[in-house]
Amino acid sequence: NIIPCARPEKIKLVDFSSDAVRLSWSSAREIDRWRVVFALDKLTQQDLSNPQMSSRIVRIDTVTSSYTWFRGLQASTRYYVYIQSMCSDIETSKWSNYFTFTSLCVPIDIENVGVESFENYATGVGTYPDCYIVGSNSKDKEYVPYCDTKYKHTGQASMFFRSDEENNGAYMITNSLDVDDIADVKLNFWGYTEYPSDHYAHSIVVGVLTSPSDLATFVPVDTVVLSSEERPYEIHFHNYKYDYKGDRGKFIMFRSEFDRENRVYIDDIS
């Protein structure tokens, strides 16, 4: 029997930034060359049948490793990636299913950070600042941080965090900071909880993250206990060293992960 050229499977995002992405995929052991295309929308079979002629494809690469960096991307852009095995000069596989990701925003100049007051976005479940990343260990979207109007220090909204023992790990990652050493950074924000009793955690963990694609690179710096009276808080990162791989991050991350239920609000980050 003739064994067809096997198409790539299980495309994964290994790491990414504002202008680059590192992807990996699985493929038959004997294959050592692949064609990779990037598009700004889902492609049709007609597009993929002759990718050099498709105006919808923004770049085509031929690579010799299934664990590869692709550089020169546009910041804050959603890409659709398709990969094809090249078993010989004339034999190629079917194209993979598409894989999609969004490149990060350009890092913020520390001198021009300003104040994030959560005013310029919609509110309710599923809403958050454009250049932030939010998530949770829970599959319930109610436990993913979102912009909410119940509390605000200024304006009309703040960021709401909710977690409990069964729906834990709510997190929010700020845009990367364009700074030589994050240890020199001072973070300010206002915080509030409507549940200050001992039955609730009424706290938020603040720390540094190296890569949004690897939450294990998060290093806690401080756990802030919030009260039912809104207050300003200040975090210094001079005690931050490095992550488990020995790398130093430039993303600030807020995380709610406690044994008790937690409901807190964060506003006016600067």
Side-chain angles (χ1 to χ4, degrees):
N1 294 333
I2 299 175
I3 301 176
C5 186
R7 74 175 186 172
E9 303 283 351
K10 300 178 181 177
I11 303 172
K12 295 180 181 179
L13 187 152
V14 179
D15 201 358
F16 66 139
S17 67
S18 61
D19 61 359
V21 65
R22 191 173 206 173
L23 300 175
S24 70
W25 57 89
S26 62
S27 198
R29 187 174 301 174
E30 66 275 8
I31 300 172
D32 59 6
R33 197 157 57 112
W34 297 266
R35 182 179 289 120
V36 183
V37 301
F38 288 73
L40 302 182
D41 200 353
K42 295 179 184 178
L43 299 177
T44 66
Q45 286 302 313
Q46 183 176 354
D47 292 317
L48 292 168
S49 65
N50 193 356
Q52 289 85 355
M53 298 299 295
S54 174
S55 60
R56 303 174 69 198
I57 293 175
V58 295
R59 66 180 286 171
I60 304 173
D61 294 85
T62 299
V63 299
T64 57
S65 172
S66 57
Y67 188 80
T68 300
W69 276 104
F70 300 88
R71 305 187 186 277
L73 304 180
Q74 296 296 311
S76 190
T77 301
R78 187 174 184 87
Y79 287 98
Y80 293 80
V81 180
Y82 297 79
I83 305 176
Q84 181 184 56
S85 299
M86 303 176 71
C87 295
S88 69
D89 290 338
I90 60 172
E91 185 183 12
T92 57
S93 72
K94 294 182 179 179
W95 287 94
S96 68
N97 293 327
Y98 74 86
F99 176 82
T100 186
F101 72 95
T102 300
S103 55
L104 298 177
C105 294
V106 173
I108 303 172
D109 183 345
I110 195 65
E111 301 297 328
N112 299 300
V113 169
V115 178
E116 177 53 79
S117 59
F118 306 102
E119 297 307 303
N120 300 317
Y121 320 101
T123 57
V125 174
T127 62
Y128 54 92
D130 296 336
C131 289
Y132 281 31
I133 299 172
V134 296
S136 172
N137 294 336
S138 174
K139 294 181 180 179
D140 187 340
K141 293 181 180 179
E142 292 276 353
Y143 289 89
V144 176
Y146 60 87
C147 297
D148 190 72
T149 58
K150 193 166 189 178
Y151 160 77
K152 51 271 186 182
H153 174 247
T154 61
Q156 300 299 317
S158 65
M159 206 68 182
F160 176 54
F161 290 74
R162 180 184 180 188
S163 67
D164 56 41
E165 191 172 4
E166 295 182 355
N167 299 277
N168 229 328
Y171 64 86
M172 177 180 75
I173 305 167
T174 68
N175 194 13
S176 176
L177 298 176
D178 184 6
V179 60
D180 291 334
D181 190 346
I182 202 166
D184 299 328
V185 171
K186 179 180 70 174
L187 174 75
N188 295 282
F189 65 93
W190 285 76
Y192 164 81
T193 180
E194 60 183 321
Y195 298 98
S197 76
D198 291 340
H199 294 292
Y200 293 84
H202 49 82
S203 301
I204 196 76
V205 180
V206 185
V208 179
L209 180 76
T210 304
S211 173
S213 63
D214 183 2
L215 296 184
T217 61
F218 174 63
V219 178
V221 171
D222 199 357
T223 299
V224 179
V225 180
L226 306 178
S227 73
S228 57
E229 296 182 4
E230 63 170 8
R231 284 183 47 197
Y233 298 90
E234 185 172 285
I235 307 295
H236 295 264
F237 297 94
H238 51 265
N239 290 326
Y240 170 72
K241 301 300 181 183
Y242 43 77
D243 65 19
Y244 75 96
K245 297 189 291 187
D247 298 326
R248 290 174 64 82
K250 295 185 179 181
F251 295 88
I252 293 174
M253 179 167 153
F254 294 79
R255 188 164 193 168
S256 177
E257 187 162 19
F258 304 97
D259 293 335
R260 291 169 291 166
E261 185 173 355
N262 197 38
R263 299 188 184 196
V264 299
Y265 299 84
I266 303 297
D267 199 12
D268 290 354
I269 299 173
S270 63

